[in-house]
Amino acid sequence: MNYIANENRYDTMIYRRCGKTGLKLPAVSLGLWHNFGGVDDYDNAKAMVTRAFDLGITHFDLANNYGPPAGSAEETLGKILQTELKDYRDELIISTKAGYGMWPGPYGDFGSRKYLIASLDQSLKRLGVDYVDVFYSHRPDPETSIEETMMALDSIVRQGKALYVGLSNYDALQTSQALEVLKDLKTPIVLHQPAYSMLNRWVEHGLLDVNERAGIGTIIFQPLAQGVLTDRYLQGIPSDSRAASESVFLNEQDINDKRVNMVVQLNNIAKNRGQSLAQLAISWALRDERVTSALIGASRVAQIEDNVKALNHLSFSEEELTEIEAILQQNS
């Protein structure tokens, strides 16, 4: 049976403009970093993407190396686009990136013109689309000039392979330098994608200001701090959790008694607000209107449904913000 999108999908989702640009994004976007690779269950991936769209999530975020294996998350979304979302392409924002290691040799990593353009050509084939809506430089390259990397992004737009460009993991100074080049080129940059959460607040020390002055949006990843800011760790470390695994992104050192105590205190605030801890963390990250969208990850449909409910209660009282800040400072 062919998928038919929920006719009410736009009724409750909040859409925020990317700075002063013409592009709007849903306040919650879906990232395909984990659980959409070739080793994962395709039917579950399809169910998550279509349910997300039914909830008004129009933005799906990828990178060339998402999987595993690398490239397979793009292939998964490409299949879903062809079989389920073919009639809805113009309602979607599809983004991908290049900047981390993708293939052997000197031309498959970082930020050279050679790598970025070749990588996007591969991504378009895997996705089965003529263009992506946003193409990012995934990280700055210490050995390639910012001018070369930004000129490659400009070429990609002029070739019709992307509508907009973005930056990810650039610090405030690097972002300022990149934006200066892109402004001279008149390249349509719309977004910066950094990590940001209650436990990782580096963007508050300059980057958000840079993005605001430039008139671009900020879309954050890891708002739940790799699952730490959920009810997953309220009782310590479950044996089947990411922290207990061999994950390079989260381990037992990240979940200590001090952090568990903090999570418990934050969970109490969430309960008083009628939210889950995950919903509180997403609402908190979106409290600053300069944050355009929060990228969530998911392993099942229920997580997406739960996370989107954060939008039902985005406002905070001054007392709540003060209490949250005290908890975070106490455990910093």
Side-chain angles (χ1 to χ4, degrees):
M1 183 176 179
N2 291 336
Y3 166 75
I4 299 175
N6 178 5
E7 63 181 14
N8 300 316
R9 59 190 175 277
Y10 296 117
D11 290 355
T12 57
M13 176 55 67
I14 296 169
Y15 297 89
R16 290 181 165 183
R17 189 171 300 279
C18 299
K20 296 179 180 177
T21 75
L23 185 66
K24 291 183 178 181
L25 293 183
V28 171
S29 300
L30 183 62
L32 279 65
W33 183 15
H34 299 292
N35 304 308
F36 292 87
V39 301
D40 298 301
D41 181 79
Y42 173 76
D43 287 337
N44 185 51
K46 179 175 70 174
M48 288 193 287
V49 169
T50 54
R51 180 57 178 151
F53 187 51
D54 282 342
L55 292 169
I57 295 177
T58 53
H59 177 215
F60 300 96
D61 179 77
L62 296 137
N64 55 355
N65 60 343
Y66 289 178
S72 60
E74 290 178 330
E75 291 173 346
T76 295
L77 184 61
K79 185 176 178 181
I80 296 169
L81 288 171
Q82 293 303 312
T83 60
E84 312 298 329
L85 296 175
K86 189 173 184 180
D87 295 337
Y88 304 100
R89 173 64 184 97
D90 291 336
E91 297 183 42
L92 304 176
I93 299 296
I94 299 169
S95 62
T96 196
K97 317 175 193 74
Y100 285 91
M102 185 60 187
W103 61 81
Y107 316 122
D109 201 353
F110 280 110
S112 71
R113 179 181 181 86
K114 167 75 172 173
Y115 174 44
L116 296 184
I117 293 177
S119 178
L120 180 54
D121 285 345
Q122 293 181 15
S123 292
L124 294 176
K125 291 177 183 177
R126 287 190 290 266
L127 286 163
V129 297
D130 296 326
Y131 68 93
V132 293
D133 297 276
V134 184
F135 182 68
Y136 291 89
S137 169
H138 206 165
R139 63 170 170 173
D141 183 343
E143 296 184 342
T144 299
S145 70
I146 281 181
E147 286 78 9
E148 177 176 337
T149 300
M150 296 307 109
M151 288 177 71
L153 295 181
D154 182 72
S155 294
I156 281 166
V157 172
R158 295 182 189 278
Q159 292 167 2
K161 297 174 182 178
L163 301 184
Y164 305 96
V165 302
L167 306 172
S168 184
N169 298 307
Y170 281 58
D171 65 26
L173 176 59
Q174 293 162 335
T175 299
S176 296
Q177 294 169 338
L179 289 169
E180 186 175 342
V181 177
L182 293 171
K183 183 178 181 180
D184 287 343
L185 294 170
K186 294 183 168 56
T187 312
I189 178 168
V190 290
L191 285 168
H192 190 297
Q193 185 179 135
Y196 180 52
S197 72
M198 289 176 168
L199 305 183
N200 182 9
R201 301 174 65 175
W202 72 278
V203 302
E204 296 175 1
H205 306 296
L207 182 62
L208 285 173
D209 293 330
V210 169
N211 293 346
E212 182 180 30
R213 285 195 297 270
I216 67 173
T218 302
I219 177 169
I220 62 162
F221 66 93
Q222 295 181 5
L224 305 183
Q226 291 289 337
V228 177
L229 294 171
T230 70
D231 60 9
R232 192 85 167 111
Y233 299 101
L234 290 174
Q235 305 298 327
I237 304 177
S239 60
D240 62 343
S241 67
R242 184 175 294 171
S245 71
E246 297 180 359
S247 171
V248 299
F249 303 109
L250 188 68
N251 55 57
E252 293 190 22
Q253 293 179 348
D254 297 307
I255 312 294
N256 50 43
D257 290 342
K258 186 176 181 181
R259 185 153 286 186
V260 169
N261 178 61
M262 176 199 66
V263 169
V264 169
Q265 293 179 71
L266 292 172
N267 189 56
N268 289 335
I269 295 176
K271 285 181 179 179
N272 291 334
R273 286 169 52 86
Q275 291 184 308
S276 68
L277 179 55
Q279 290 165 2
L280 172 72
I282 292 168
S283 298
W284 182 90
L286 290 168
R287 78 197 185 286
D288 190 325
E289 292 185 356
R290 294 176 297 179
V291 177
T292 308
S293 183
L295 268 170
I296 62 167
S299 60
R300 60 187 187 276
V301 167
Q303 289 175 327
I304 299 172
E305 294 172 337
D306 180 74
N307 288 177
V308 168
K309 289 177 182 176
L311 304 183
N312 296 337
H313 195 356
L314 287 181
S315 62
F316 288 84
S317 68
E318 286 299 323
E319 290 78 11
E320 286 174 327
L321 289 174
T322 299
E323 187 176 359
I324 289 170
E325 189 65 29
I327 293 170
L328 297 180
Q329 292 300 325
Q330 175 186 342
N331 291 276
S332 62

